[in-house]
Amino acid sequence: MEERMNMANYQQMNGIALAYMGDAVYEIYIRQHLLAKGMVKPTHLHHTATRYVSAKAHAALYRLMEADAILTDEEKQYFLRGRNAKSHTGAKNTDIVSYRISTGVEALFGYLYLSEQTKRIEQLAAWCIEQVESGRTKANAI
């Protein structure tokens, strides 16, 4: 996808724009995973997906990323760009800290996508899925 890089230079992109892209990228991996598990009912899919994609889930996943030291220094910088970005929308169904951390996680996935690091996205998405399914995110929830 050469157009991907022509559309915008991810290095200059603000954290909210990166998060906008990353939200979609991460969601696709989660949806593919749930469908591969044989889930087909929309209500069940939606409720199950929130265990992986909600702000609270992202916050718990980020705490685990820190604890397991799985991010590179560059990935941490893009996370911070998203977390520290000024958002004009408020947090829904969560506290502001979780919302900002979630924006950082989404920005991280946006950066990885726009910098064409598909293998790394696959690694991180698989790691996130594993953490949720093993119950580690419940133990690290706020």
Side-chain angles (χ1 to χ4, degrees):
M1 285 207 118
E2 229 174 291
E3 275 183 28
R4 188 183 317 166
M5 293 308 294
N6 292 337
M7 288 184 344
N9 182 346
Y10 68 90
Q11 294 170 324
Q12 303 301 316
M13 205 173 279
N14 71 46
I16 298 298
L18 289 170
Y20 175 77
M21 179 58 73
D23 178 47
V25 170
Y26 182 68
E27 179 103 15
I28 286 172
Y29 279 88
I30 298 307
R31 288 180 181 203
Q32 286 176 335
H33 173 72
L34 296 178
L35 291 173
K37 288 180 73 168
M39 293 182 196
V40 292
K41 294 182 179 179
T43 302
H44 185 68
L45 283 164
H46 176 73
H47 289 300
T48 304
T50 59
R51 293 178 36 220
Y52 302 83
V53 299
S54 68
K56 290 176 185 174
H58 287 166
L61 285 165
Y62 185 72
R63 278 190 276 293
L64 292 169
M65 288 175 188
E66 284 186 313
D68 292 359
I70 66 165
L71 299 180
T72 66
D73 288 341
E74 187 169 21
E75 289 168 346
K76 289 176 191 173
Q77 291 304 312
Y78 281 93
F79 164 81
L80 290 172
R81 186 181 295 188
R83 188 200 67 189
N84 297 337
K86 300 284 186 230
S87 176
H88 297 292
T89 60
K92 296 176 188 168
N93 303 318
T94 193
D95 61 283
I96 191 67
V97 172
S98 294
Y99 178 77
R100 293 182 73 126
I101 291 171
S102 179
T103 303
V105 170
E106 292 167 348
L108 168 62
F109 275 92
Y111 149 69
L112 292 171
Y113 177 78
L114 292 170
S115 62
E116 300 180 335
Q117 297 184 55
T118 306
K119 292 246 186 283
R120 183 61 173 151
I121 294 170
E122 290 169 0
Q123 287 175 336
L124 277 180
W127 182 89
C128 289
I129 289 165
E130 184 180 320
Q131 304 319 300
V132 172
E133 293 187 347
S134 71
R136 285 186 77 200
T137 53
K138 287 182 183 176
N140 281 280
I142 291 180

